[in-house]
Amino acid sequence: MGHNAVQTSTLMSDFLRQCGGYAIIDGGLATELERHGADLNDPLWSAKCLISSPHLIRKVHLDYLEAGANIIISASYQATLQGFETKGLSMEEGEALLRRSVEIACEAREMYHNIGCKVSWDATGNGEILKQRPVLVAASVGSYGAYLADGSEYSGIYGDAVTLEALKDFHRRRVQVLAESGADIIAFETIPNKLEAKAFAEILDKDDIKIPAWFSFNSKDGVNVVSGDSISECASIADSCKQVVAVGINCTPPRFIHGLIQAIGKVTTKPVLIYPNSGETYDAERKQWVQSAGVGDEDFVSYVGKWCEDGACLIGGCCRTTPNTIRAITKALSTRSSSATTIQF
């Protein structure tokens, strides 16, 4: 167990060093799957593709790797054993699908590395040699609200009946399966309230989970997580959990990120990760993304330098961001990295 603990604590710092100080997280999954022809009109969302079209998931992972991502996140955000059960799957079949989500991401990484040294050309004729670079596979764990598929991961209001113990019981087996699936790290994403962060931390601390994790919260006001709990209190829970090796924000409009990074930096010295939305908001009743003061790829990327100055070192995109967004982030960060991962000519 001692060796494991050492590996866990150094995984992120070693990885960031290999990446040159900054690492790039992938972008949105669901909308890319739809662009490739997947039908996601289903409460299980991108997890539906694990059953119907794993090759599309693999293709999206590969697109992000080719755009420069150092971390690809599995298609398990809404994949829960309880959700699979309502689809008529057995516990064994559900667990196999969770493992499959990570295997697909690992296959994409292997395919990418097997391509070897590859030259890609952009529209203006600039070429770059994409070297073999470090790539982590993160196993995604969505919140209880994501399972409900009623938009409550965007409000964080679960009601009094949902206790700490109920949340631990809901997530425990899924986290155990994903931790043993071959992933490098568990990504607890879009955490909407302090109670769920506490549940995740207790599972990590007490259930002998052998791989590290990150905690990523969402905010709609730039001060608190969506439930109204303070981002500082939520980040402090992540800070005090030994298994958590990075903490940050996802699924949040870019304009709020600056203040949130600063608030997180006041309560933890752990690496800060951010992968915001494109700026649109999700209408749970209509089950649609609604244009708010959204930002295009160029505008999105204009924030990147500022976020790095604020202290973020893992940067990517969430809903509605694409491989083009990630390509633009890669370009923006390549000038900042202390040891560049691309040779330009």
Side-chain angles (χ1 to χ4, degrees):
M1 189 63 202
H3 177 60
N4 238 354
V6 172
Q7 274 187 321
T8 293
S9 64
T10 61
L11 173 119
M12 189 54 78
S13 51
D14 292 349
F15 171 68
L16 284 168
R17 196 165 49 247
Q18 288 166 2
C19 291
Y22 298 97
I24 296 158
I25 301 170
D26 64 9
L29 179 65
T31 41
E32 279 301 290
L33 288 171
E34 285 183 316
R35 197 172 64 78
H36 285 297
D39 172 21
L40 300 187
N41 192 15
D42 187 289
L44 284 185
W45 223 31
S46 32
K48 181 182 179 185
C49 285
L50 292 169
I51 301 170
S52 59
S53 34
H55 60 287
L56 292 184
I57 298 174
R58 197 182 304 110
K59 171 79 175 86
V60 174
H61 287 323
L62 208 46
D63 288 347
Y64 279 120
L65 289 170
E66 290 182 344
N70 300 106
I71 300 175
I72 50 174
I73 302 175
S74 68
S76 49
Y77 175 75
Q78 273 189 315
T80 64
L81 295 171
Q82 296 87 341
F84 288 140
E85 201 180 325
T86 63
K87 281 275 184 208
L89 298 176
S90 69
M91 180 70 88
E92 292 72 27
E93 288 168 323
E95 291 185 5
L97 277 177
L98 286 176
R99 282 190 286 271
R100 187 77 191 108
S101 71
V102 172
E103 284 162 12
I104 292 166
C106 291
E107 286 162 11
R109 172 171 61 183
E110 199 175 328
M111 285 167 71
Y112 176 73
H113 280 154
N114 286 344
I115 293 167
C117 208
K118 172 180 179 298
V119 179
S120 73
W121 298 92
D122 66 21
T124 58
N126 295 323
E128 55 182 31
I129 301 174
L130 303 178
K131 308 290 271 185
Q132 265 217 14
R133 61 180 192 281
V135 173
L136 294 184
V137 168
S140 172
V141 173
S143 68
Y144 177 66
Y147 155 72
L148 296 175
D150 60 1
S152 61
E153 80 250 54
Y154 305 116
S155 72
I157 310 302
Y158 293 162
D160 296 341
V162 181
T163 61
L164 179 68
E165 288 308 313
L167 286 170
K168 281 157 61 175
D169 290 344
F170 176 81
H171 287 295
R172 182 174 285 112
R173 182 60 192 148
R174 173 200 198 186
V175 172
Q176 288 167 341
V177 171
L178 288 170
E180 289 161 15
S181 62
D184 302 296
I185 189 166
I186 300 173
F188 292 101
E189 304 188 277
T190 324
I191 307 172
N193 58 43
K194 193 165 70 172
L195 189 68
E196 197 149 25
K198 213 175 276 184
F200 290 144
E202 290 190 14
I203 290 171
L204 290 171
D205 282 338
K206 295 181 179 143
D207 287 24
D208 196 24
I209 303 299
K210 294 194 166 57
I211 62 172
W214 81 49
F215 278 13
S216 187
F217 299 91
N218 60 333
S219 171
K220 55 190 177 195
D221 63 5
V223 180
N224 303 309
V225 300
V226 291
S227 64
D229 293 336
S230 133
I231 185 62
S232 304
E233 289 177 21
C234 291
S236 296
I237 292 168
D239 183 65
S240 60
C241 180
K242 287 194 296 291
Q243 297 282 109
V244 174
V245 294
V247 56
I249 299 288
N250 73 297
C251 208
T252 295
R255 65 184 176 277
F256 293 138
I257 298 297
H258 166 71
L260 292 164
I261 296 172
Q262 291 182 319
I264 291 167
K266 285 179 181 151
V267 296
T268 186
T269 56
K270 292 180 179 182
V272 174
L273 57 92
I274 48 148
Y275 47 117
N277 289 344
S278 67
E280 292 152 305
T281 52
Y282 187 70
D283 183 327
E285 281 179 26
R286 286 157 58 190
K287 292 197 180 333
Q288 278 180 346
W289 288 92
V290 182
Q291 186 68 38
S292 58
V295 290
D297 285 338
E298 297 82 14
D299 292 336
F300 188 99
V301 170
S302 71
Y303 288 99
V304 168
K306 183 73 189 132
W307 294 336
C308 293
E309 284 161 27
D310 291 336
C313 51
L314 297 108
I315 297 176
C318 198
C319 303
R320 297 298 216 190
T321 58
T322 69
N324 285 339
T325 320
I326 300 310
R327 198 168 283 110
I329 293 172
T330 302
K331 200 169 177 185
L333 287 183
S334 66
T335 58
R336 298 188 76 91
S337 285
S338 52
S339 57
T341 53
T342 60
I343 303 170
Q344 301 208 331
F345 61 93

